[in-house]
Amino acid sequence: MASAYSPEQIDRYLDYVSLPSEYRRSAKPALDLDFLSVLHTHQLSAIPYENLSIHYNPEHKNSLDPQDLYNKFTKNGRGGYCMENSIFFNHVLTALGFNAYTAGARIRLRVNNIPEGNYIGWMHIVNIVTLTDGSKYMLDVSFGGDGAIKPLPLISGHVVPNIGKQELRLFYDNIPGQTTAPSDSQKLWIYQYRNSPDKPWNSYYCFPEMEFLHQDFIAFNYYTSTHPGSFQTYQMLVVKFLKREAEIYGKLMLVDGVVKRNTGGKTEVVKVCETEDERVEALREWFGIELTEEQRQGIKGWRTELKAK
């Protein structure tokens, strides 16, 4: 798929995420893992995971139109949730010359903060990039707090360090619920994490190598952003990764009215918001997100509105 973004738009984006000069278009960097990893880091740290458009919005819905995404992400500290961020990033990758496509992913929900149970369906998205040497990588720039901070190779069982002691891997296998399992033809890439080397692996989502089209995500996005059974409609979430020099070292999170900070694997509460004014100010202070007055008014009467007690 050709990128929807012009060279001028890409240059403005690279300015916005503060990409080092040696990776700008004028430097003609090699389309290798080094460039891909640096781009991934700067995207993650500049454009947060957030679902505010479902909540602070009179229409309570979001758009996957590439130009809408570009205009949203390059000002006011805004980001988006998985389909918004990853579709946007796919257009950036292809504009820069990478061989990239999007794939849908099935997720598992958390129970007592651990993903478990059946995979609930196509509610997530990843990018798959094939480099010139033939190696393939999964890039996920919008999975929230347990997302990968680096591209992950499509090598089953290959362990990659994440923030703190957390480790990640992709594992190629069948998943529970498949009526044809065990079957090599039905295997999927399973994204797994563990919070230290002595902990068990947790399976969080899975995806095929099959390309998904933009029209597929239009359907997924409608359910994920509007159905009352989707957690995105009743829980407000923001995750911003923290970068020091060239490395991501931690993250800030907002869950409903609680702001948390995690650096090196330890999470602490830094702010509890009791009112809408407090939460709007916390979004500005901790995440650099500026909401317009229309957006602030859009949450009135919505299920996630904070009402003064």
Side-chain angles (χ1 to χ4, degrees):
M1 180 179 67
S3 176
Y5 302 144
S6 68
E8 293 75 22
Q9 285 180 300
I10 293 298
D11 287 341
R12 288 196 296 272
Y13 160 79
L14 298 178
D15 284 337
Y16 185 79
V17 301
S18 301
L19 197 73
S21 60
E22 60 266 34
Y23 299 102
R24 299 300 181 98
R25 289 192 314 116
S26 58
K28 298 181 180 179
L31 299 176
D32 56 14
L33 180 59
D34 175 57
F35 183 16
L36 190 65
S37 299
V38 171
L39 186 65
H40 188 271
T41 295
H42 283 258
Q43 165 75 18
L44 272 182
S45 59
I47 298 179
Y49 172 96
E50 50 107 323
N51 62 2
L52 301 182
S53 290
I54 299 173
H55 305 278
Y56 286 108
N57 183 343
E59 298 181 345
H60 301 292
K61 63 181 181 180
N62 53 23
S63 170
L64 298 186
D65 179 87
Q67 298 305 330
D68 290 343
L69 296 175
Y70 186 93
N71 292 331
K72 177 184 176 185
F73 292 166
T74 53
K75 60 185 178 183
N76 298 330
R78 293 298 304 272
Y81 79 168
C82 60
M83 281 173 265
E84 295 175 280
N85 287 359
S86 289
I87 287 172
F88 170 81
F89 195 53
N90 177 263
H91 284 276
V92 170
L93 289 168
T94 54
L96 291 170
F98 284 103
N99 179 358
Y101 65 87
T102 51
R106 296 183 174 115
I107 67 169
R108 300 169 82 204
L109 297 178
R110 290 175 182 260
V111 177
N112 296 322
N113 214 35
I114 304 236
E116 62 178 55
N118 291 328
Y119 292 85
I120 64 172
W122 303 110
M123 293 180 66
H124 191 51
I125 176 176
V126 298
N127 274 281
I128 297 176
V129 173
T130 304
L131 298 179
T132 54
D133 62 3
S135 58
K136 292 185 177 182
Y137 289 83
M138 184 276 286
L139 287 82
D140 189 345
V141 294
S142 198
F143 191 59
D146 284 312
I149 63 172
K150 300 175 182 178
L152 298 183
L154 266 63
I155 301 173
S156 186
H158 180 82
V159 178
V160 176
N162 213 40
I163 296 175
K165 295 181 180 180
Q166 191 179 66
E167 295 181 330
L168 308 175
R169 71 179 183 183
L170 296 177
F171 195 69
Y172 194 59
D173 203 356
N174 294 116
I175 62 170
Q178 288 181 319
T179 58
T180 56
S183 170
D184 287 344
S185 67
Q186 297 296 319
K187 285 184 176 180
L188 299 159
W189 288 102
I190 303 170
Y191 175 80
Q192 299 181 324
Y193 78 93
R194 61 184 180 187
N195 287 329
S196 66
D198 61 334
K199 301 290 186 181
W201 289 101
N202 297 305
S203 299
Y204 220 150
Y205 63 79
C206 63
F207 60 93
E209 289 186 53
M210 180 182 75
E211 179 178 5
F212 284 58
L213 304 180
H214 187 83
Q215 292 86 343
D216 298 319
F217 295 112
I218 296 293
F220 303 164
N221 181 60
Y222 182 77
Y223 172 87
T224 305
S225 63
T226 66
H227 193 280
S230 168
F231 71 90
Q232 299 283 0
T233 67
Y234 57 77
Q235 186 170 58
M236 189 179 296
L237 297 167
V238 183
V239 179
K240 184 175 179 64
F241 285 94
L242 305 172
K243 181 171 67 68
R244 183 168 47 223
E245 296 180 351
E247 298 291 331
I248 288 174
Y249 70 93
K251 57 199 173 187
L252 288 169
M253 299 161 284
L254 179 137
V255 181
D256 294 323
V258 180
V259 180
K260 304 176 184 180
R261 177 170 52 202
N262 182 301
T263 53
K266 183 178 181 180
T267 300
E268 60 177 334
V269 174
V270 296
K271 174 73 175 177
V272 177
C273 304
E274 301 287 350
T275 67
E276 274 305 321
D277 286 345
E278 289 181 1
R279 184 161 61 185
V280 168
E281 176 58 24
L283 287 170
R284 185 196 63 78
E285 177 183 356
W286 291 98
F287 300 92
I289 293 175
E290 300 277 357
L291 297 176
T292 67
E293 184 60 27
E294 180 184 27
Q295 290 164 347
R296 292 182 59 173
Q297 293 300 316
I299 201 169
K300 289 188 179 297
W302 190 246
R303 65 194 71 177
T304 52
E305 180 186 8
L306 291 179
K307 298 179 180 179
K309 296 179 181 179

